[in-house]
Amino acid sequence: MSAPCSPFPAGAFSRRTLLVAAAAGTAALAAGCTNGAAQDPADAVTPAQADRLAAQVGVQEQLVADYAQALAAAPQLATSAAVLAAQARQQLDRLRSAAAQPAPSSGATAGTSAADAVPADGAAAWLQARVNAAADAHARACPDFTGGRAALLGSIAAGLRAQAGQLA
Amino acid sequence: MPDGTSGTTAATGPDAAAPEDAALQEALAAAYTAIWGYGVVGAAVPAESRPAVVTAEQAHRDVRDELLELLSGRDVQPVAAEAAYDLPFPVLSGVDAAALAVTLEDGAATAWTWVLDQAAERSTRELAVVALTATELRAVVWRAQAGRTPVTSAFPGLPEV
């Protein structure tokens, strides 16, 4: 009994079908998300979008601050959530690039008010609520944008929703 | 023989919706691929993981059906599924199967971020962000089973810069 050379003679699973969009779009997505409106005139940001994008930068700045607060208050989180905090910072950097906003000087990041202080007990749940709130905010804002900015906000929203699941 | 992009030419007319429709066709192709691929995953994962496979496959079937309806409603001929697909690597264990599931979900995530990039209609972007989030949530589970770290991604569907 002979076997066929390949049980799956058709299609181009790994690269063509799954990633053709990436092949066509990766450069545009990356550029659109890192260079603001410089790439495509049709994707130029409007003043209203610029304000909205600045608001999303603020949301992410607050989340990065929340991570710092939570990790400082609950050392056990420092191990499990450090990578999540790093990803949140990466997201902030890319959002700032898309918004053409420079990173603030040291110490000028958002803080957490005393009323929102991390509870001694339940830091993970507190942080999870913050991450979910940020994901909600980005997901709501995403459809207001077009092009690479919509892709970036949608991607960050999805990434944060997955982060929240890890904090459960 | 279709190559995974056939049928997209139906959406490349001069109208403004063409890029959006073409991106939706890619999302549909990714859904077809995932539905097929989860058949392979389901045959290789341990029994305790099979409910997750069934749930994931059904989610992609639901997305497929939604996209078929959406494209047909626009008088765009939807792309057809391939008869079969080449596996990107041999699936010989539960870990391989989980890795394949990650590939399937990451492929869908790439397609949906492209939809977000290309969509002219707000309703399409709303659909895309929901679908992208769902696929990333599934991917996290499979990355864990595949032994990948970290299990989360800062930018699902986007290239890391």
Side-chain angles (χ1 to χ4, degrees):
Chain A
M1 177 177 174
S2 64
C5 292
S6 168
F8 309 109
F13 175 85
S14 61
R15 288 298 167 206
R16 190 67 173 163
T17 302
L18 283 184
L19 302 180
V20 66
T26 294
L29 285 169
C33 293
T34 55
N35 294 333
Q39 301 301 312
D40 181 0
D43 194 25
V45 68
T46 65
Q49 283 186 335
D51 289 345
R52 190 73 194 271
L53 198 54
Q56 298 317 120
V57 170
V59 166
Q60 194 70 23
E61 286 174 339
Q62 183 61 58
L63 180 63
V64 168
D66 290 340
Y67 262 111
Q69 294 268 353
L71 268 57
Q76 72 277 13
L77 271 180
T79 301
S80 59
V83 68
L84 305 181
Q87 288 178 344
R89 288 193 297 273
Q90 292 168 12
Q91 292 167 338
L92 175 57
D93 290 345
R94 207 140 148 189
L95 269 174
R96 281 178 174 151
S97 293
Q101 281 189 7
S105 59
S106 177
T109 54
T112 301
S113 69
D116 292 332
V118 183
D121 225 1
W126 178 89
L127 185 56
Q128 183 188 38
R130 296 308 183 108
V131 173
N132 267 324
D136 286 343
H138 293 320
R140 277 195 308 270
C142 168
D144 293 341
F145 291 86
T146 56
R149 295 173 194 85
L152 178 61
L153 284 168
S155 176
I156 291 174
L160 290 178
R161 192 71 71 198
Q163 283 197 2
Q166 296 303 298
L167 293 165
Chain B
M1 178 63 63
D3 66 356
T5 61
S6 61
T8 57
T9 51
T12 55
D15 60 295
E20 173 176 316
D21 290 343
L24 289 169
Q25 297 273 35
E26 300 297 348
L28 177 58
Y32 287 140
T33 308
I35 292 164
W36 181 90
Y38 270 110
V40 178
V41 173
V45 294
E48 62 266 24
S49 295
R50 291 199 185 119
V53 174
V54 170
T55 299
E57 181 175 343
Q58 185 58 50
H60 286 286
R61 288 185 186 279
D62 292 344
V63 167
R64 174 202 61 189
D65 293 346
E66 189 167 5
L67 286 169
L68 286 171
E69 184 176 348
L70 180 60
L71 289 165
S72 297
R74 295 178 179 189
D75 292 327
V76 174
Q77 178 65 43
V79 292
E82 308 267 3
Y85 299 82
D86 293 324
L87 286 171
F89 46 80
V91 178
L92 305 174
S93 68
V95 171
D96 293 340
L100 176 60
V102 172
T103 301
L104 297 169
E105 298 296 353
D106 285 350
T110 300
W112 281 112
T113 52
W114 187 234
V115 171
L116 283 170
D117 186 280
Q118 295 289 290
E121 296 286 336
R122 179 186 176 87
S123 60
T124 303
R125 294 191 292 277
E126 290 172 343
L127 167 69
V129 74
V130 171
L132 174 59
T133 299
T135 201
E136 175 60 10
L137 289 174
R138 290 189 295 271
V140 164
V141 174
W142 294 120
R143 287 187 199 115
Q145 292 199 25
R148 306 257 181 100
T149 55
V151 297
T152 54
S153 167
F155 304 104
L158 287 177
E160 300 291 337
V161 176

